[in-house]
Amino acid sequence: MTNVRVIKPALAALVAAAACVGGLAFSSAQPAQADTYSDLINAQNQHAASVQREAELKQQLAGASQDLANKVLELDDLTNNKIVAAQAKVTQANEDAATAQDEADAASGRLSAAQKDKETLEEQIKQTGKDYDDAHAAVAQLARDEMHGSNASDVMSVVTGATSTQDFVNSMQSRDALSRNEANAASSAATSLSTSKNRGERLAAIEKQIAVLKTQADEKAASAQTAAETAQSERDALDKLRQEGEARRNELSSMIDSLDSQSAKQAARTVLIASQVDSYNRQFQKEQQDAANRVDTGNQGGTPSTPVTPAPAPAPAPAPAPAPAPAPSVGGQGTSNGDYGNAYAAGQCTYWAYERRRQMGIGTPSYLGNGGNWWRSAPSYGLRVDHNPQVGAALSFLPGQDGADGTYGHVAVVEAVYGDGTFQISEMNWGGPWNMHYRTLTNLGQYWFVH
């Protein structure tokens, strides 16, 4: 919505679930399935929305050739049902792979810690021998440390079972008695704490534990590898569907003019817009992956760097140059004045508005500013600005208007105008750069349109 947003990967929210339209080649609806009641309700709602959408398309396509109507519905099914379902599988597979990898890393960490304990204990055994008992030694040392200290009464019952300080002192008078009591106390403490193993026995226990942890680590690593392969398979399947969508979109685009009725043309254009939405999501996803795989050669050791897209600096005023050839005009729209190419930040609403109008044959100045300023800047370039929607017009949202950014505003492009006072728009950066979206609004004279 602005040209200074932080990148947040997002995919357009497209409704899911297939529907069956009688008389037209379209995949049959699948029964709603879910793991929870809430998921079930959402799936049922999506299914109902899909059925309603296809019924409306069928009505709009009445009278169109069977072949062309089928192509429209097949592209709609691909975009709004199959690709959406595939995307859900990819998301779940990615989450499963991440969880499996976390578990594998944790198991590996536990194994490494046990192996480190084994190495440390082996070094201690070299110094003391296998029979050295840490529990006995610790309790005996406690008795020696506390015998003459202010806390002697706190430990005397543990060491000797004495009930008074005098009894404790008497029991410690002879060296033989001291040795006996140290040994007895150590044995008692060790037994109650289950720590009677000497260093040799502990080493054997650790080696046994390492064998178990090694098996667990191997199993977790194998699970992580399988999950990663599954996720890659789901991503490949999704990409294949999107490639199919691009091919179908290109084919359908060349056939729209053969439709006789305006409603059928509008239905086909609506389906094409939805497919274009997913195409831009695919483009954004690829760019994010390329950025993640890029290595920052300036870092020692070749550590991959986190991709950061800096906020674009304000564009300087372009140097005088021959004006480009005038862009084709639609209904008196557009201008070649100030049009030096798409100078707007890629992935932002302004970038899309310029690009979409260019696709429609409408020239747009390259430096109209943030989306909320277009209506104010456009007249200085000779563009008409009013409150009347027209296909190809840029809708300049005021800051905060209908979800626009509170500082920079927003800009969209009018895709269709209906007789009931509503109109359809397409817009980019709806929830994140490159994230496409389209919606239908009602014109009550509150919007500024740049023609």
Side-chain angles (χ1 to χ4, degrees):
M1 296 169 67
T2 169
N3 56 3
V4 287
R5 283 291 187 84
V6 177
I7 288 182
K8 295 180 179 178
L11 297 174
L14 303 175
V15 289
C20 176
V21 179
L24 294 172
F26 199 64
S27 61
S28 59
Q30 298 296 320
Q33 297 180 357
D35 295 327
T36 67
Y37 180 74
S38 177
D39 290 340
L40 177 61
I41 295 300
N42 289 336
Q44 290 174 338
N45 290 340
Q46 290 170 350
H47 176 78
S50 178
V51 171
Q52 180 179 358
R53 184 183 67 252
E54 300 311 327
E56 292 173 352
L57 279 176
K58 179 183 177 182
Q59 183 178 10
Q60 289 177 294
L61 291 168
S65 70
Q66 187 74 44
D67 180 62
L68 186 52
N70 285 344
K71 291 183 183 299
V72 172
L73 288 170
E74 286 168 359
L75 179 58
D76 179 79
D77 176 45
L78 184 66
T79 302
N80 289 306
N81 297 327
K82 293 179 179 177
I83 288 179
V84 172
Q87 180 60 60
K89 288 184 178 180
V90 167
T91 299
Q92 185 61 54
N94 287 341
E95 292 176 356
D96 292 344
T99 299
Q101 187 59 55
D102 288 343
E103 292 177 353
D105 292 341
S108 177
R110 290 191 294 270
L111 175 60
S112 296
Q115 290 171 334
K116 180 63 177 176
D117 287 343
K118 177 176 179 290
E119 293 173 3
T120 300
L121 188 55
E122 287 174 334
E123 289 298 319
Q124 292 175 339
I125 288 175
K126 289 179 181 179
Q127 300 171 7
T128 65
K130 292 185 176 181
D131 294 333
Y132 186 85
D133 192 318
D134 291 278
H136 282 68
V139 175
Q141 185 62 42
L142 175 66
R144 288 192 294 270
D145 292 342
E146 298 292 349
M147 184 172 62
H148 300 294
S150 59
N151 295 325
S153 61
D154 295 335
V155 298
M156 63 184 179
S157 62
V158 175
V159 178
T160 66
T163 59
S164 69
T165 303
Q166 186 60 48
D167 289 342
F168 177 78
V169 173
N170 291 337
S171 69
M172 295 295 180
Q173 290 302 307
S174 71
R175 188 176 186 86
D176 290 341
L178 177 62
S179 298
R180 286 196 304 273
N181 284 310
E182 285 178 353
N184 292 338
S187 296
S188 176
T191 299
S192 64
L193 297 175
S194 299
T195 58
S196 61
K197 295 176 181 176
N198 59 33
R199 286 181 173 175
E201 293 168 330
R202 284 166 53 206
L203 179 61
I206 288 177
E207 289 174 340
K208 182 177 181 181
Q209 182 187 35
I210 286 175
V212 173
L213 292 175
K214 178 68 166 59
T215 299
Q216 292 176 349
D218 290 343
E219 290 174 351
K220 294 296 184 182
S223 296
Q225 179 64 30
T226 299
E229 292 173 354
T230 299
Q232 184 59 57
S233 176
E234 296 292 357
R235 288 192 293 268
D236 291 343
L238 174 60
D239 195 60
K240 184 177 181 180
L241 285 175
R242 284 177 163 159
Q243 291 177 16
E244 180 183 348
E246 184 174 347
R248 288 180 178 273
R249 186 172 64 252
N250 293 336
E251 179 184 14
L252 183 58
S253 296
S254 64
M255 302 174 67
I256 287 182
D257 290 340
S258 65
L259 291 168
D260 296 329
S261 73
Q262 189 62 35
S263 64
K265 287 183 179 180
Q266 186 54 54
R269 290 193 183 102
T270 298
V271 171
L272 285 173
I273 292 172
S275 180
Q276 188 69 53
V277 165
D278 188 74
S279 175
Y280 275 96
N281 285 334
R282 179 187 179 209
Q283 178 181 350
F284 171 72
Q285 188 176 46
K286 182 179 184 303
E287 291 185 357
Q288 287 295 96
Q289 185 62 46
D290 291 344
N293 293 336
R294 192 176 301 124
V295 175
D296 184 354
T297 56
N299 289 344
Q300 295 297 323
T303 303
S305 61
T306 301
V308 176
T309 301
S329 177
V330 177
Q333 294 173 279
T335 179
S336 61
N337 182 25
D339 186 354
Y340 299 93
N342 196 339
Y344 299 100
Q348 303 296 319
C349 61
T350 47
Y351 175 90
W352 168 253
Y354 178 96
E355 188 64 22
R356 180 59 176 147
R357 280 164 60 90
R358 182 192 64 77
Q359 294 172 3
M360 294 177 165
I362 306 172
T364 305
S366 303
Y367 301 99
L368 289 176
N370 294 316
N373 290 331
W374 277 35
W375 71 275
R376 194 188 305 272
S377 305
S380 64
Y381 291 92
L383 289 171
R384 173 168 51 94
V385 176
D386 57 29
H387 295 293
N388 302 314
Q390 181 181 355
V391 173
L395 170 50
S396 180
F397 289 92
L398 302 176
Q401 185 180 29
D402 286 357
D405 185 272
T407 301
Y408 304 103
H410 184 49
V411 67
V413 176
V414 177
E415 298 287 344
V417 179
Y418 307 111
D420 60 357
T422 63
F423 59 96
Q424 185 183 60
I425 61 171
S426 63
E427 52 198 335
M428 185 174 281
N429 194 21
W430 185 260
W434 292 112
N435 196 14
M436 285 293 301
H437 183 255
Y438 63 101
R439 50 180 165 155
T440 299
L441 303 174
T442 300
N443 180 36
L444 300 176
Q446 74 274 37
Y447 300 115
W448 287 105
F449 297 93
V450 177
H451 299 281

